Amino acid sequence: MTQIGTNIKKLRSVKGLSQQAFGELFNLTRGNISSYEEFRAEPKVSVILQIAKYFSIPVAHLLEKKLTVNEILNFEDHFTEDSAQLAIKNMDPVHFLNRETIQQSSDNKISIDDLPMFYFPITTKNQVIAIEHNGLIHHPAAFPFEENSILFFEKLQLNILHTLDKHFGLYIKGSDYFFGTYEVKNKQIDLLLNDWKKQSFSVEDMGCFWKLHGKYEKIA
């Protein structure tokens, strides 16, 4: 028995796709996807080739091994996991928010704890979230990052508040989230999306504020 059913389910989870949405990508029904995931049937070779091409995953990996989140996100080209122990020892777990998850989220309410995770080398001890930059997240007009790049944000801590002025940040609370630019005046800290929308920082809501830590951009 191949791993195709397990991997289709994992792909859906990471990409935030329902069985119906995944099936529509390949002219399949929700019932087809359900039967693959429950090992009641396997897709035709032509469908397997389509899935592998669409997600840029080797056919052999799709069929023979249980894919990791890193492989699904195509981070394996640069950061490999020889074993689970190596990943835990040398890398850090990071929650990942992508375009598909936003589209599939009920009322666009995002729960960070429910997001899929992958392992990545992080140089901060603070909690980090990775986000696929896309048009579904509002951002300032001068936001300098290319669409589809992966942006890493670290959760604010009291000891980094003095570093915020003019830095890019993220606000995320329920269905309200956007990229912005921090403005610090005396002890007042605001995250500005534009001239009309901003969010004022408070210690009580500190868990909703993040500071840009870095970006990942694959170069062809």
Side-chain angles (χ1 to χ4, degrees):
M1 181 179 295
T2 71
Q3 297 292 335
I4 186 67
T6 299
N7 287 333
I8 286 176
K9 189 172 184 178
K10 188 69 172 287
L11 280 165
R12 285 200 308 102
S13 174
V14 173
K15 295 295 185 178
L17 296 169
S18 66
Q19 289 181 334
Q20 180 71 31
F22 189 95
E24 289 175 354
L25 293 174
F26 308 105
N27 295 316
L28 300 169
T29 66
R30 187 201 63 78
N32 290 142
I33 305 305
S34 176
S35 67
Y36 302 155
E37 293 182 359
E38 296 173 6
F39 304 102
R40 292 183 282 107
E42 290 195 350
K44 296 178 180 179
V45 173
S46 60
V47 173
I48 294 173
L49 293 175
Q50 289 178 48
I51 295 173
K53 182 178 180 180
Y54 186 88
F55 292 106
S56 300
I57 294 171
V59 174
H61 289 189
L62 192 61
L63 291 173
E64 298 171 4
K65 63 181 294 188
K66 293 183 179 180
L67 296 174
T68 66
V69 178
N70 289 51
E71 288 171 311
I72 292 172
L73 296 177
N74 295 315
F75 286 160
E76 289 291 314
D77 291 348
H78 299 279
F79 305 104
T80 59
E81 293 178 78
D82 293 332
S83 69
Q85 282 298 108
L86 180 62
I88 293 172
K89 181 178 179 180
N90 296 335
M91 298 188 183
D92 301 284
V94 180
H95 285 99
F96 179 61
L97 174 61
N98 61 5
R99 182 191 307 267
E100 290 85 356
T101 300
I102 296 173
Q103 290 174 326
Q104 295 294 321
S105 297
S106 174
D107 299 322
N108 285 335
K109 292 182 179 179
I110 305 300
S111 174
I112 294 174
D113 291 337
D114 293 336
L115 298 177
M117 301 183 74
F118 63 89
Y119 284 93
F120 203 87
I122 297 296
T123 58
T124 177
K125 294 182 180 180
N126 300 330
Q127 183 182 356
V128 171
I129 183 174
I131 299 182
E132 178 188 11
H133 176 34
N134 60 79
L136 298 176
I137 302 179
H138 296 298
H139 56 80
F143 206 55
F145 304 103
E146 296 289 334
E147 287 229 358
N148 302 316
S149 58
I150 307 298
L151 304 179
F152 292 81
F153 292 84
E154 63 176 314
K155 183 175 287 188
L156 289 196
Q157 305 293 327
L158 292 176
N159 63 337
I160 66 172
L161 295 184
H162 66 286
T163 69
L164 294 181
D165 195 38
K166 308 305 181 188
H167 280 79
F168 292 111
L170 164 72
Y171 177 78
I172 181 167
K173 184 176 184 180
S175 59
D176 189 14
Y177 48 92
F178 62 88
F179 299 133
T181 304
Y182 281 107
E183 181 180 80
V184 180
K185 293 183 178 179
N186 298 320
K187 291 187 178 181
Q188 177 67 38
I189 301 174
D190 295 316
L191 184 62
L192 288 73
L193 170 63
N194 50 42
D195 290 340
W196 302 276
K197 183 175 177 61
K198 68 179 181 181
Q199 193 68 43
S200 296
F201 172 83
S202 69
V203 174
E204 292 77 12
D205 277 341
M206 186 160 58
C208 303
F209 291 86
W210 305 70
K211 177 188 176 183
L212 183 67
H213 176 72
K215 72 172 182 175
Y216 175 95
E217 201 166 53
K218 181 174 284 190
I219 300 175

